[in-house]
Amino acid sequence: MAATDLERISNAEPEPRSLSLGGHVGFDSLPDQLVSKSVSQGFSFNILCVGETGIGKSTLMNTLFNTTFETEEASHHEECVRLRPQTYDLQESNVHLKLTIVDAVGFGDQINKDDSYRPIVDYIDAQFENYLQEELKIRRSLFDYHDTRIHVCLYFITPTGHSLKSLDLVTMKKLDSKVNIIPIIAKADTISKSELHKFKIKIMGELVSNGVQIYQFPTDDEAVAEINAVMNAHLPFAVVGSTEEVKVGNKLVRARQYPWGVVQVENENHCDFVKLREMLIRVNMEDLREQTHSRHYELYRRCKLEEMGFQDSDGDSQPFSLQETYEAKRKEFLSELQRKEEEMRQMFVNKVKETELELKEKERELHEKFEHLKRIHQEEKRKVEEKRRELEEETNAFNCRKAAMEALQSQALHATSQQPLRKDKDKKKF
Ligand code: GTP
Ligand code: MG
């Protein structure tokens, strides 16, 4: 046998022995202690409502919790999807519930819906991050920490009777690894019974074929396994919301009244509202909280810590050391910083060189331009000079010609003034 195998055997914990008690000790009260501690501490539950504007989100929340939450109507002109959380303190018997309802305001209202899911994903991640930061603090106060992690996402499907919109599929696909999704068909009173049946089958088929994982009510706890299995087959729930009370027989019930009849919210023949309330609040609220912590948050935490360089040790390797990981990460960070600094310095030097070259090139161009202009100027000067000389020569020639002409004229004048005298002399001779 190898030495390491022997070591492992000797280090293995011995099996605990089963003993019977001689009388009542009292630790059977542990579950009661847990219950009373939890009750005094209170519970928090956070619901995210995703669905297009006016689909009936606020009405359904009011109907579910049988109260009126102050909510304002959303505008149809939001530039992008905005998450609006509102927290309420509710009390039923002696149980306090800190309920946060987060509305995805403006969902589906934009012309370009490509990034509609992003603010929702970012919001869910931000709540995980807040919790992780609290966990990583040296002085952490998880006991009275207001946990804002989303426990369930109610995804409101428009009752078209056709198929899911691509926006619905994309959004649910992006959210399914981050939150428990319960899809619901809203305003189910606007769709006929036979159409609703086909619509439900179609939706489930599309979710499966696109690999969208919706929340499945757990069937591992015997007490609720049967009802949860039945309810899983009813998904997506087709719900109707109303806070209006209508008299049916001698009872006042919450319903929507139409000229042709009354749709009762809590009548299981009319819609699945009761099923949703049972599953969401009365049977599986704790499982939704638990799944959020153990599945979705755990996945976020694992990815985040791995990203930060932490890793668990496997059996054979050295035990995981926080100090070593921190040192390694610090070294990595410093060398990365140095590399970035060097890169920036190099970039700066290159930039300076480039600018210098550009300036030189500009100077050379300017110089060439100047030389060119100078040459043109000299050429023009030379031409002007030539022209001036020519003009001077012409002026001189002209002056000469003028002088000659003047001389000729004066000679001619002189000659004409002498002629009559000669004629007189000639006459006298005869
Ligand atoms: P925003 O917050 O503005 O996005 O709207 P919302 O999704 O909260 O819808 P809201 O609950 O304000 O309801 C919008 C309209 O739909 C109101 O006139 C409601 O009366 C009506 N409505 C709500 N639920 C139902 C329903 O189940 N069936 C029908 N037919 N109408 C409903
Ligand atoms: Mg609303």
Side-chain angles (χ1 to χ4, degrees), residues 360-417:
K360 272 194 180 143
E361 181 63 15
K362 283 236 160 70
E363 194 184 337
R364 198 186 55 74
E365 275 173 17
L366 272 172
H367 194 72
E368 263 177 20
K369 220 174 189 166
F370 173 73
E371 286 297 320
H372 179 66
L373 282 172
K374 208 167 123 186
R375 273 200 303 278
I376 291 175
H377 174 72
Q378 275 172 352
E379 184 66 16
E380 297 224 313
K381 199 173 154 192
R382 193 187 57 74
K383 278 183 188 161
V384 168
E385 196 60 34
E386 206 156 280
K387 271 252 160 33
R388 197 179 58 79
R389 220 181 43 247
E390 275 172 19
L391 235 115
E392 249 174 39
E393 278 170 9
E394 269 175 31
T395 316
N396 287 344
F398 175 76
N399 284 341
C400 285
R401 276 206 303 276
K402 191 179 158 198
M405 280 295 286
E406 276 169 0
L408 271 175
Q409 260 176 1
S410 70
Q411 267 178 18
L413 260 173
H414 187 66
T416 44
S417 65

Side-chain angles (χ1 to χ4, degrees), residues 57-59 71-74 84 103:
K57 303 182 287 292
S58 305
T59 310
T71 48
E72 65 210 59
E73 222 175 84
R84 184 180 59 198
D103 229 329

Side-chain angles (χ1 to χ4, degrees), residues 128 176-177 179-180 213-216 290-300:
F128 284 151
D176 71 354
S177 59
V179 69
N180 302 310
Q213 296 272 325
I214 58 168
Y215 173 71
Q216 292 291 307
E290 157 73 18
Q291 289 285 322
T292 301
H293 185 73
S294 61
R295 197 163 134 231
H296 302 300
Y297 171 66
E298 207 51 35
L299 179 66
Y300 177 84

Side-chain angles (χ1 to χ4, degrees), residues 51-60 71-75 84 103-106 186-190 239-242 256 258:
E52 62 189 45
T53 308
I55 191 74
K57 303 182 287 292
S58 305
T59 310
L60 188 75
T71 48
E72 65 210 59
E73 222 175 84
S75 120
R84 184 180 59 198
D103 229 329
V105 182
K187 297 190 179 180
D189 52 329
T190 59
V239 295
V240 173
S242 175
R256 298 188 75 83
Y258 295 106

Side-chain angles (χ1 to χ4, degrees), residues 204-242:
M204 290 313 283
E206 281 182 330
L207 290 177
V208 171
S209 62
N210 286 282
V212 178
Q213 296 272 325
I214 58 168
Y215 173 71
Q216 292 291 307
F217 304 117
T219 47
D220 41 12
D221 177 356
E222 260 178 43
V224 289
E226 199 180 326
I227 177 141
N228 276 353
V230 173
M231 289 300 153
N232 277 331
H234 272 94
L235 283 170
F237 295 137
V239 295
V240 173
S242 175

